Amino acid sequence: MPYLVTYEAGETGLATCVSDDRAALRLAALFEAQGLTGVAIQDGGTGEVFSPLAFRLRCGPDAGMQGRGLKRL
């Protein structure tokens, strides 16, 4: 499922598309660490837009682990 990670640069909104929830969370964290504003993650399937924290809570503790053979211990 694709996700769109967005941020603001001045008055311009910019976005990058990533393929999974783990990549979306990592990229959003990177943008926030750089001090960028307006960081959000849009679910490509539903169109819902989340703050990075809300997206992490939505995905749960196993974010990005689907289909990777990893199990929660």
Side-chain angles (χ1 to χ4, degrees):
M1 171 90 45
Y3 296 95
L4 196 62
V5 183
T6 62
Y7 63 94
E8 295 175 0
E11 293 185 20
T12 304
L14 302 167
T16 301
C17 187
V18 295
S19 61
D20 62 44
D21 53 359
R22 177 186 281 185
L25 286 168
R26 287 176 39 200
L27 188 57
L30 178 70
F31 288 162
E32 287 184 321
Q34 292 177 4
L36 298 172
T37 59
V39 177
I41 301 170
Q42 181 177 1
D43 185 318
T46 65
E48 293 178 282
V49 178
F50 302 91
S51 70
L53 176 59
F55 189 77
R56 183 179 308 278
L57 293 172
R58 174 183 175 257
C59 291
D62 295 329
M65 295 194 185
Q66 299 86 344
R68 297 181 187 268
L70 301 174
K71 295 184 179 178
R72 187 171 176 204
L73 299 175

PDB file of all heavy atoms in Angstrom, residues 15-38:
ATOM      1  N   ALA A  15       5.852  16.459  -1.274  1.00  0.00           N
ATOM      2  CA  ALA A  15       5.493  15.104  -0.868  1.00  0.00           C
ATOM      3  C   ALA A  15       6.413  14.083  -1.510  1.00  0.00           C
ATOM      4  O   ALA A  15       6.978  14.307  -2.577  1.00  0.00           O
ATOM      5  CB  ALA A  15       4.059  14.811  -1.268  1.00  0.00           C
ATOM      6  N   THR A  16       6.558  12.953  -0.821  1.00  0.00           N
ATOM      7  CA  THR A  16       7.309  11.812  -1.319  1.00  0.00           C
ATOM      8  C   THR A  16       6.451  10.568  -1.111  1.00  0.00           C
ATOM      9  O   THR A  16       5.870  10.385  -0.043  1.00  0.00           O
ATOM     10  CB  THR A  16       8.641  11.653  -0.551  1.00  0.00           C
ATOM     11  OG1 THR A  16       9.399  12.844  -0.701  1.00  0.00           O
ATOM     12  CG2 THR A  16       9.429  10.480  -1.055  1.00  0.00           C
ATOM     13  N   CYS A  17       6.393   9.713  -2.105  1.00  0.00           N
ATOM     14  CA  CYS A  17       5.612   8.485  -2.021  1.00  0.00           C
ATOM     15  C   CYS A  17       6.524   7.334  -1.583  1.00  0.00           C
ATOM     16  O   CYS A  17       7.639   7.197  -2.089  1.00  0.00           O
ATOM     17  CB  CYS A  17       4.983   8.182  -3.377  1.00  0.00           C
ATOM     18  SG  CYS A  17       3.851   6.797  -3.329  1.00  0.00           S
ATOM     19  N   VAL A  18       6.058   6.544  -0.637  1.00  0.00           N
ATOM     20  CA  VAL A  18       6.806   5.367  -0.176  1.00  0.00           C
ATOM     21  C   VAL A  18       5.877   4.154  -0.205  1.00  0.00           C
ATOM     22  O   VAL A  18       4.653   4.292  -0.243  1.00  0.00           O
ATOM     23  CB  VAL A  18       7.387   5.577   1.244  1.00  0.00           C
ATOM     24  CG1 VAL A  18       8.430   6.675   1.243  1.00  0.00           C
ATOM     25  CG2 VAL A  18       6.300   5.895   2.247  1.00  0.00           C
ATOM     26  N   SER A  19       6.457   2.966  -0.166  1.00  0.00           N
ATOM     27  CA  SER A  19       5.675   1.756  -0.393  1.00  0.00           C
ATOM     28  C   SER A  19       5.092   1.093   0.845  1.00  0.00           C
ATOM     29  O   SER A  19       4.147   0.318   0.731  1.00  0.00           O
ATOM     30  CB  SER A  19       6.523   0.730  -1.137  1.00  0.00           C
ATOM     31  OG  SER A  19       7.658   0.403  -0.362  1.00  0.00           O
ATOM     32  N   ASP A  20       5.628   1.364   2.033  1.00  0.00           N
ATOM     33  CA  ASP A  20       5.071   0.686   3.209  1.00  0.00           C
ATOM     34  C   ASP A  20       5.055   1.596   4.432  1.00  0.00           C
ATOM     35  O   ASP A  20       5.641   2.671   4.426  1.00  0.00           O
ATOM     36  CB  ASP A  20       5.799  -0.627   3.500  1.00  0.00           C
ATOM     37  CG  ASP A  20       7.269  -0.449   3.827  1.00  0.00           C
ATOM     38  OD1 ASP A  20       7.612   0.467   4.599  1.00  0.00           O
ATOM     39  OD2 ASP A  20       8.085  -1.240   3.332  1.00  0.00           O
ATOM     40  N   ASP A  21       4.379   1.124   5.485  1.00  0.00           N
ATOM     41  CA  ASP A  21       4.203   1.943   6.677  1.00  0.00           C
ATOM     42  C   ASP A  21       5.519   2.219   7.403  1.00  0.00           C
ATOM     43  O   ASP A  21       5.734   3.314   7.920  1.00  0.00           O
ATOM     44  CB  ASP A  21       3.163   1.342   7.625  1.00  0.00           C
ATOM     45  CG  ASP A  21       3.416  -0.105   7.997  1.00  0.00           C
ATOM     46  OD1 ASP A  21       4.399  -0.702   7.513  1.00  0.00           O
ATOM     47  OD2 ASP A  21       2.613  -0.660   8.767  1.00  0.00           O
ATOM     48  N   ARG A  22       6.423   1.269   7.411  1.00  0.00           N
ATOM     49  CA  ARG A  22       7.719   1.482   8.069  1.00  0.00           C
ATOM     50  C   ARG A  22       8.494   2.612   7.390  1.00  0.00           C
ATOM     51  O   ARG A  22       9.036   3.492   8.051  1.00  0.00           O
ATOM     52  CB  ARG A  22       8.557   0.211   8.064  1.00  0.00           C
ATOM     53  CG  ARG A  22       9.931   0.435   8.690  1.00  0.00           C
ATOM     54  CD  ARG A  22      10.809  -0.758   8.564  1.00  0.00           C
ATOM     55  NE  ARG A  22      10.442  -1.726   9.575  1.00  0.00           N
ATOM     56  CZ  ARG A  22      11.110  -2.843   9.782  1.00  0.00           C
ATOM     57  NH1 ARG A  22      12.150  -3.144   9.036  1.00  0.00           N
ATOM     58  NH2 ARG A  22      10.747  -3.670  10.720  1.00  0.00           N
ATOM     59  N   ALA A  23       8.531   2.596   6.060  1.00  0.00           N
ATOM     60  CA  ALA A  23       9.226   3.651   5.317  1.00  0.00           C
ATOM     61  C   ALA A  23       8.563   5.003   5.551  1.00  0.00           C
ATOM     62  O   ALA A  23       9.243   6.027   5.681  1.00  0.00           O
ATOM     63  CB  ALA A  23       9.252   3.320   3.832  1.00  0.00           C
ATOM     64  N   ALA A  24       7.234   5.024   5.617  1.00  0.00           N
ATOM     65  CA  ALA A  24       6.512   6.275   5.860  1.00  0.00           C
ATOM     66  C   ALA A  24       6.884   6.850   7.225  1.00  0.00           C
ATOM     67  O   ALA A  24       7.153   8.052   7.352  1.00  0.00           O
ATOM     68  CB  ALA A  24       5.011   6.042   5.770  1.00  0.00           C
ATOM     69  N   LEU A  25       6.920   6.006   8.241  1.00  0.00           N
ATOM     70  CA  LEU A  25       7.268   6.473   9.584  1.00  0.00           C
ATOM     71  C   LEU A  25       8.714   6.949   9.658  1.00  0.00           C
ATOM     72  O   LEU A  25       9.009   7.973  10.282  1.00  0.00           O
ATOM     73  CB  LEU A  25       7.027   5.365  10.611  1.00  0.00           C
ATOM     74  CG  LEU A  25       5.557   5.103  10.921  1.00  0.00           C
ATOM     75  CD1 LEU A  25       5.408   3.805  11.698  1.00  0.00           C
ATOM     76  CD2 LEU A  25       4.966   6.269  11.695  1.00  0.00           C
ATOM     77  N   ARG A  26       9.623   6.228   9.026  1.00  0.00           N
ATOM     78  CA  ARG A  26      11.035   6.626   9.052  1.00  0.00           C
ATOM     79  C   ARG A  26      11.249   7.947   8.332  1.00  0.00           C
ATOM     80  O   ARG A  26      11.979   8.816   8.807  1.00  0.00           O
ATOM     81  CB  ARG A  26      11.900   5.527   8.439  1.00  0.00           C
ATOM     82  CG  ARG A  26      12.021   4.329   9.356  1.00  0.00           C
ATOM     83  CD  ARG A  26      12.782   3.179   8.785  1.00  0.00           C
ATOM     84  NE  ARG A  26      13.942   3.549   7.991  1.00  0.00           N
ATOM     85  CZ  ARG A  26      14.512   2.752   7.111  1.00  0.00           C
ATOM     86  NH1 ARG A  26      14.022   1.562   6.891  1.00  0.00           N
ATOM     87  NH2 ARG A  26      15.570   3.137   6.433  1.00  0.00           N
ATOM     88  N   LEU A  27      10.609   8.117   7.185  1.00  0.00           N
ATOM     89  CA  LEU A  27      10.758   9.351   6.431  1.00  0.00           C
ATOM     90  C   LEU A  27      10.133  10.527   7.174  1.00  0.00           C
ATOM     91  O   LEU A  27      10.723  11.614   7.243  1.00  0.00           O
ATOM     92  CB  LEU A  27      10.123   9.198   5.051  1.00  0.00           C
ATOM     93  CG  LEU A  27      10.367  10.332   4.070  1.00  0.00           C
ATOM     94  CD1 LEU A  27      11.866  10.561   3.847  1.00  0.00           C
ATOM     95  CD2 LEU A  27       9.674  10.037   2.756  1.00  0.00           C
ATOM     96  N   ALA A  28       8.979  10.324   7.771  1.00  0.00           N
ATOM     97  CA  ALA A  28       8.336  11.388   8.549  1.00  0.00           C
ATOM     98  C   ALA A  28       9.216  11.793   9.728  1.00  0.00           C
ATOM     99  O   ALA A  28       9.372  12.983  10.019  1.00  0.00           O
ATOM    100  CB  ALA A  28       6.961  10.933   9.038  1.00  0.00           C
ATOM    101  N   ALA A  29       9.823  10.822  10.407  1.00  0.00           N
ATOM    102  CA  ALA A  29      10.721  11.125  11.525  1.00  0.00           C
ATOM    103  C   ALA A  29      11.937  11.909  11.045  1.00  0.00           C
ATOM    104  O   ALA A  29      12.391  12.849  11.714  1.00  0.00           O
ATOM    105  CB  ALA A  29      11.156   9.837  12.213  1.00  0.00           C
ATOM    106  N   LEU A  30      12.456  11.555   9.887  1.00  0.00           N
ATOM    107  CA  LEU A  30      13.590  12.276   9.316  1.00  0.00           C
ATOM    108  C   LEU A  30      13.218  13.721   9.009  1.00  0.00           C
ATOM    109  O   LEU A  30      13.969  14.646   9.330  1.00  0.00           O
ATOM    110  CB  LEU A  30      14.069  11.575   8.043  1.00  0.00           C
ATOM    111  CG  LEU A  30      15.224  12.242   7.310  1.00  0.00           C
ATOM    112  CD1 LEU A  30      16.507  12.100   8.123  1.00  0.00           C
ATOM    113  CD2 LEU A  30      15.391  11.647   5.939  1.00  0.00           C
ATOM    114  N   PHE A  31      12.053  13.934   8.392  1.00  0.00           N
ATOM    115  CA  PHE A  31      11.601  15.286   8.088  1.00  0.00           C
ATOM    116  C   PHE A  31      11.447  16.118   9.366  1.00  0.00           C
ATOM    117  O   PHE A  31      11.852  17.268   9.429  1.00  0.00           O
ATOM    118  CB  PHE A  31      10.277  15.261   7.331  1.00  0.00           C
ATOM    119  CG  PHE A  31      10.374  14.783   5.908  1.00  0.00           C
ATOM    120  CD1 PHE A  31       9.240  14.366   5.234  1.00  0.00           C
ATOM    121  CD2 PHE A  31      11.580  14.731   5.229  1.00  0.00           C
ATOM    122  CE1 PHE A  31       9.300  13.937   3.919  1.00  0.00           C
ATOM    123  CE2 PHE A  31      11.662  14.289   3.913  1.00  0.00           C
ATOM    124  CZ  PHE A  31      10.511  13.892   3.263  1.00  0.00           C
ATOM    125  N   GLU A  32      10.835  15.521  10.404  1.00  0.00           N
ATOM    126  CA  GLU A  32      10.659  16.242  11.663  1.00  0.00           C
ATOM    127  C   GLU A  32      12.005  16.558  12.311  1.00  0.00           C
ATOM    128  O   GLU A  32      12.191  17.640  12.864  1.00  0.00           O
ATOM    129  CB  GLU A  32       9.787  15.438  12.620  1.00  0.00           C
ATOM    130  CG  GLU A  32       8.327  15.426  12.213  1.00  0.00           C
ATOM    131  CD  GLU A  32       7.446  14.721  13.214  1.00  0.00           C
ATOM    132  OE1 GLU A  32       7.871  13.674  13.772  1.00  0.00           O
ATOM    133  OE2 GLU A  32       6.331  15.213  13.431  1.00  0.00           O
ATOM    134  N   ALA A  33      12.956  15.632  12.244  1.00  0.00           N
ATOM    135  CA  ALA A  33      14.283  15.857  12.824  1.00  0.00           C
ATOM    136  C   ALA A  33      15.010  17.003  12.132  1.00  0.00           C
ATOM    137  O   ALA A  33      15.837  17.676  12.746  1.00  0.00           O
ATOM    138  CB  ALA A  33      15.120  14.578  12.743  1.00  0.00           C
ATOM    139  N   GLN A  34      14.686  17.238  10.864  1.00  0.00           N
ATOM    140  CA  GLN A  34      15.285  18.342  10.124  1.00  0.00           C
ATOM    141  C   GLN A  34      14.578  19.665  10.406  1.00  0.00           C
ATOM    142  O   GLN A  34      14.962  20.697   9.868  1.00  0.00           O
ATOM    143  CB  GLN A  34      15.244  18.056   8.624  1.00  0.00           C
ATOM    144  CG  GLN A  34      16.142  16.931   8.209  1.00  0.00           C
ATOM    145  CD  GLN A  34      16.026  16.622   6.728  1.00  0.00           C
ATOM    146  OE1 GLN A  34      15.329  17.290   5.984  1.00  0.00           O
ATOM    147  NE2 GLN A  34      16.717  15.583   6.294  1.00  0.00           N
ATOM    148  N   GLY A  35      13.547  19.621  11.242  1.00  0.00           N
ATOM    149  CA  GLY A  35      12.827  20.836  11.609  1.00  0.00           C
ATOM    150  C   GLY A  35      11.786  21.271  10.587  1.00  0.00           C
ATOM    151  O   GLY A  35      11.300  22.404  10.646  1.00  0.00           O
ATOM    152  N   LEU A  36      11.414  20.382   9.658  1.00  0.00           N
ATOM    153  CA  LEU A  36      10.397  20.726   8.668  1.00  0.00           C
ATOM    154  C   LEU A  36       9.024  20.753   9.333  1.00  0.00           C
ATOM    155  O   LEU A  36       8.765  19.993  10.268  1.00  0.00           O
ATOM    156  CB  LEU A  36      10.418  19.725   7.514  1.00  0.00           C
ATOM    157  CG  LEU A  36      11.725  19.690   6.728  1.00  0.00           C
ATOM    158  CD1 LEU A  36      11.722  18.539   5.739  1.00  0.00           C
ATOM    159  CD2 LEU A  36      11.965  21.012   6.016  1.00  0.00           C
ATOM    160  N   THR A  37       8.151  21.635   8.862  1.00  0.00           N
ATOM    161  CA  THR A  37       6.818  21.759   9.441  1.00  0.00           C
ATOM    162  C   THR A  37       5.788  21.085   8.557  1.00  0.00           C
ATOM    163  O   THR A  37       6.040  20.785   7.391  1.00  0.00           O
ATOM    164  CB  THR A  37       6.431  23.242   9.610  1.00  0.00           C
ATOM    165  OG1 THR A  37       6.461  23.871   8.328  1.00  0.00           O
ATOM    166  CG2 THR A  37       7.384  23.954  10.549  1.00  0.00           C
ATOM    167  N   GLY A  38       4.613  20.854   9.126  1.00  0.00           N
ATOM    168  CA  GLY A  38       3.509  20.281   8.370  1.00  0.00           C
ATOM    169  C   GLY A  38       3.719  18.848   7.944  1.00  0.00           C
ATOM    170  O   GLY A  38       3.145  18.413   6.944  1.00  0.00           O
TER     171      GLY A  38
END
